[in-house]
């Protein structure tokens, strides 16, 4: 039943209405008539209030011993574990992806929060000898300050958690602006931190659009750091407007699977199905290109198309469903536009290519799993991030050509090679321009304790996850302690 409960912003430890007095709806992409909840349609004033609350909370939070901050994170992880199934169902309703994937999304949030909670007892700096006697040198990690976290809709809890957890453990206070397609999941995550005892003002959430809430935060004088995951276009705008703030960017991908002639073809097909159509292709790590060695091209393609045709599309809550809807109407139209472009540019449509409109599909944003072959590296569908269930198959004569094709895009997030040859595997790891290379598994499946991020237009060099993921949220302080009792001059008194 449609409850249409209205959720509020969480600012300074209180759930408050927006100054605008207006709301927007969060709907179910499998059934657009179903309004899940209403949320505050906030603007700059709400963002300003949240920044002020984060400023007030900063001194106390950043002074709290990091292991104590970690205890709150551990508690949040435990509550998430208790609520995992319920949260996964909410996420499937709001975002569309199938239940096994939304369970994975919640699990990823749990994992990163636990990892960062443990970091409370490390947060390592380093020590090193001084060039002078009776002098000690070290670095420590201090928080950046008030940070704005701006997130997309495709991982409605995992991506916010990838940012919130390291930001908190390092002692920052937060203004969180979630995507407008999945604000309920974001609110649920904040509710959990509230239950876990996060002090007021440390974590604030303001819902609303990118232009009316996100951009004022990006420009706000008191915000010291921005962590953004989303499109390249928005990433570029943010970089331009942020001035000298620290900016962490996770942008798009045009990820590749290379299938060599010595590959286990069935395994490669499994990987291409999971990478291409998992999350309806709406992952920044989606395998939207498959480059196949020409000797095994026909065999791979036949099996891949056969499997894609059998995929069950539908409501993600149905346990039979293997691929859910696209997130919204404009995304659906964008996916279809790329099908038209692919056909116009001369690629061969092997399966799919249509918006699903009949029967159970009438109310949702469903698209057929779509595969093109005869794609060449300069075609639009081989270059642009489609963010949908569309895979482009390309042929290569050998590994060198496959890697050349792999690298012929502006992005560099994830990549994969299927081969039984250790030489091929290591060459791919070394030569593919991407932040991630998988061998004999798909382009997706990052684990939280390893760095995640990309090269080229995928970002600006920051990494999330792992211990490296904390770097985005810390300022390094270098400390020199001279216990000689006399003036000692570096570079000068060095005899
Ligand atoms: P997508 O909507 O495809 O995930 P976007 O880059 O448009 O990709 O959005 C990602 C996040 O960035 C969302 O939370 C969105 O509201 C926010 N956003 C969009 N435009 C801006 C902007 N100009 N300034 C700040 N945030 C923005």
């Amino acid at each position: 039943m449609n409850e249409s409960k209205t959720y509020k912003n969480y600012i300074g430890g209180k759930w408050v209405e927006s100054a605008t007095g207006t709301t927007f709806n969060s709907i179910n992409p499998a059934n657009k008539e179903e309004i899940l909840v209403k949320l505050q349609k906030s603007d700059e004033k709400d963002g300003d209030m949240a920044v002020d609350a984060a400023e007030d909370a900063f001194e106390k939070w950043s002074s709290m011993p990091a292991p104590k901050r970690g205890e709150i994170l551990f508690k949040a992880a435990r509550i998430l574990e208790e609520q995992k199934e319920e949260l996964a169902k909410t996420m499937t309703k709001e975002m569309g992806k199938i239940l096994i994937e939304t369970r994975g999304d919640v699990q990823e949030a749990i994992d990163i929060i636990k990892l960062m909670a443990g970091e409370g007892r490390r947060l390592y700096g380093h020590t090193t000898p001084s060039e002078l006697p009776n002098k000690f040198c070290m670095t420590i990690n201090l928080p950046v300050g008030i940070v704005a976290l701006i997130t997309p809709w495709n991982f409605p809890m995992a991506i916010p958690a990838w940012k919130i957890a390291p930001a908190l453990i390092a002692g920052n206070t937060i203004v969180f602006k979630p995507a407008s397609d999945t604000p309920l999941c974001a609110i649920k995550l904040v509710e959990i931190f509230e239950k876990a005892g996060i002090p007021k003002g440390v974590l604030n959430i303001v819902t609303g659009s990118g232009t009316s809430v996100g951009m004022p935060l990006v420009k706000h004088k008191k915000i010291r750091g921005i962590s953004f995951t989303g499109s390249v276009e928005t990433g570029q705008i943010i970089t331009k407007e942020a001035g000298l703030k620290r900016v962490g960017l996770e942008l798009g991908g045009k990820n590749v699977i290379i299938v060599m002639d010595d590959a286990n073809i069935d395994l490669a097909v499994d990987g291409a199905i999971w990478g291409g159509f998992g999350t309806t292709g709406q992952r920044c790590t989606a395998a939207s290109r498959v480059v196949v060695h020409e000797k095994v091209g026909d065999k791979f393609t036949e099996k891949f198309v056969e499997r894609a045709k059998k995929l069950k599309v539908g409501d993600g809550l149905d346990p039979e469903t293997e691929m859910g809807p696209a997130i919204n109407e404009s995304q659906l139209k964008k996916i279809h536009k790329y099908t038209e472009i692919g056909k116009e540019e001369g690629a061969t449509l092997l399966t799919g290519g249509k918006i699903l409109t009949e029967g159970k599909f009438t109310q949702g944003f469903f698209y057929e799993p779509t595969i093109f072959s005869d794609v060449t590296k300069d075609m639009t569908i081989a270059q642009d991030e489609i963010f949908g269930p569309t895979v482009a198959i390309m042929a290569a004569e050998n590994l060198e050509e496959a890697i050349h094709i792999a690298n012929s895009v502006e992005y560099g997030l994830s990549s994969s090679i299927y081969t039984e040859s250790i030489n091929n595997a290591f060459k791919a790891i070394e030569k593919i321009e991407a932040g991630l290379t998988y061998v004999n598994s798909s382009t997706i499946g990052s684990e939280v304790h390893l760095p995640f991020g990309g090269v080229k237009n995928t970002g600006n060099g920051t990494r999330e996850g792992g211990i490296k993921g904390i770097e985005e949220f810390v300022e390094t302080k270098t400390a020199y302690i001279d216990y000689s009792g006399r003036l000692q001059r570096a570079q000068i008194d060095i005899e």
Side-chain angles (χ1 to χ4, degrees):
M1 259 315 282
N2 178 6
E3 46 179 325
S4 274
K5 182 175 167 183
T6 302
Y7 280 86
K8 297 178 184 171
N9 291 329
Y10 187 63
I11 298 177
K14 292 201 180 80
W15 294 95
V16 291
E17 280 176 12
S18 160
T20 66
T22 55
T23 59
F24 68 98
N25 297 334
S26 175
I27 61 158
N28 179 348
N31 175 11
K32 58 192 172 199
E33 302 297 319
E34 188 184 355
I35 297 168
L36 301 173
V37 292
K38 293 181 182 298
L39 300 117
Q40 303 303 308
K41 194 172 183 176
S42 315
D43 71 4
E44 186 168 353
K45 276 201 209 106
D46 304 296
D48 286 350
M49 274 173 55
V51 172
D52 289 344
E55 187 182 33
D56 290 346
F58 180 75
E59 176 53 33
K60 214 166 156 197
W61 180 247
S62 56
S63 304
M64 184 189 281
K68 277 200 131 196
R69 295 197 291 259
E71 289 305 323
I72 297 173
L73 267 66
F74 274 126
K75 191 150 183 215
R78 284 197 292 275
I79 302 170
L80 270 164
E81 277 169 340
E82 282 159 23
Q83 299 185 6
K84 179 173 167 181
E85 191 59 22
E86 194 190 321
L87 293 169
K89 283 190 180 136
T90 301
M91 195 186 295
T92 292
K93 274 197 199 171
E94 190 177 45
M95 189 270 156
K97 63 187 174 185
I98 61 177
L99 263 178
I100 57 160
E101 292 186 38
T102 52
R103 285 186 195 118
D105 193 303
V106 180
Q107 189 59 47
E108 203 170 315
I110 294 167
D111 294 343
I112 189 77
I113 292 170
K114 281 186 182 168
L115 178 77
M116 290 300 162
E119 260 319 287
R121 290 194 179 268
R122 287 182 291 269
L123 275 179
Y124 293 136
H126 69 269
T127 61
T128 183
S130 169
E131 66 187 41
L132 293 162
N134 299 317
K135 192 176 170 193
F136 185 86
C137 308
M138 67 178 173
T139 67
I140 55 170
N141 289 316
L142 295 173
V144 171
I146 308 167
V147 293
L149 311 182
I150 303 176
T151 57
W153 44 262
N154 60 339
F155 283 84
M157 286 199 181
I159 291 179
W162 278 62
K163 299 181 190 299
I164 290 172
L168 288 179
I169 203 66
N172 301 278
T173 56
I174 296 170
V175 181
F176 170 27
K177 205 304 276 177
S180 298
D181 285 299
T182 53
L184 176 58
C185 290
I187 296 257
K188 291 280 163 199
L189 188 61
V190 172
E191 281 181 350
I192 284 164
F193 276 100
E194 185 190 25
K195 280 202 192 101
I198 196 89
K200 64 179 186 180
V202 171
L203 173 60
N204 306 278
I205 182 167
V206 182
T207 56
S209 76
T211 41
S212 55
V213 182
M215 190 34 71
L217 289 174
V218 168
K219 292 182 178 167
H220 203 295
K221 283 205 178 81
K222 291 180 185 168
I223 298 270
R224 295 304 318 148
I226 299 155
S227 182
F228 170 78
T229 300
S231 61
V232 171
E233 295 71 30
T234 308
Q236 274 162 345
I237 297 171
I238 287 177
T239 307
K240 200 162 146 251
E241 299 296 336
L244 296 178
K245 295 182 181 72
R246 174 189 286 244
V247 180
L249 300 174
E250 292 296 341
L251 309 176
K254 189 70 187 174
N255 314 290
V256 69
I257 292 179
I258 294 176
V259 183
M260 290 305 294
D261 51 345
D262 62 353
N264 175 336
I265 297 295
D266 290 329
L267 192 65
V269 169
D270 281 345
I273 291 283
W274 176 230
F277 305 118
T279 321
T280 318
Q282 302 171 117
R283 290 180 182 239
C284 42
T285 54
S288 51
R289 298 181 296 153
V290 182
V291 178
V292 193
H293 193 289
E294 58 187 19
K295 281 194 197 147
V296 292
D298 289 347
K299 192 171 162 200
F300 171 85
T301 303
E302 193 183 313
K303 289 185 177 211
F304 183 42
V305 170
E306 191 188 311
R307 284 276 301 280
K309 279 185 173 159
K310 286 193 193 138
L311 282 175
K312 291 198 182 72
V313 180
D315 187 332
L317 285 178
D318 179 347
E320 298 282 298
T321 300
E322 292 169 296
M323 192 180 97
I327 187 71
N328 57 34
E329 188 149 20
S330 79
Q331 192 60 30
L332 187 68
K333 286 186 175 152
K334 184 177 157 200
I335 294 166
H336 192 58
K337 188 192 81 186
Y338 277 109
T339 297
E340 297 300 327
I341 293 173
K343 287 196 277 193
E344 277 161 28
E345 290 187 359
T348 307
L349 180 63
L350 296 178
T351 185
K354 285 201 280 302
I355 295 175
L356 291 159
T357 51
E358 303 293 313
K360 66 175 182 177
F361 299 120
T362 39
Q363 295 307 320
F365 308 118
F366 294 100
Y367 204 78
E368 289 179 335
T370 299
I371 300 174
F372 280 100
S373 67
D374 303 319
V375 179
T376 53
K377 68 179 171 47
D378 299 323
M379 284 184 187
T380 310
I381 57 168
Q383 287 292 324
D384 288 12
E385 183 182 45
I386 300 174
F387 232 57
T390 307
V391 179
I393 301 179
M394 289 173 267
E397 248 178 56
N398 52 37
L399 182 62
E400 282 63 39
E401 194 190 1
I403 292 174
H404 174 71
I405 295 171
N407 291 343
S408 300
V409 290
E410 290 181 353
Y411 297 100
L413 182 53
S414 189
S415 58
S416 144
I417 181 165
Y418 283 82
T419 180
E420 299 289 304
S421 150
I422 193 137
N423 296 3
N424 288 343
F426 271 89
K427 265 184 211 149
I429 292 169
E430 193 184 324
K431 295 293 178 196
I432 297 179
E433 295 164 359
L436 306 157
T437 298
Y438 293 84
V439 176
N440 291 329
S441 69
S442 194
T443 52
I444 57 188
S446 281
E447 301 182 27
V448 302
H449 51 298
L450 284 105
F452 177 90
V455 303
K456 295 155 89 176
N457 280 1
T458 292
N460 58 353
T462 51
R463 292 289 182 272
E464 296 191 306
I467 305 314
K468 251 189 152 344
I470 294 181
E471 287 173 11
E472 203 178 328
F473 298 103
V474 296
E475 292 287 1
T476 301
K477 163 71 64 79
T478 305
Y480 298 100
I481 303 107
D482 190 321
Y483 52 98
S484 69
R486 60 193 169 90
L487 174 68
Q488 295 200 94
R489 294 167 299 180
Q491 293 91 40
I492 296 170
D493 299 325
I494 50 168
E495 79 289 346

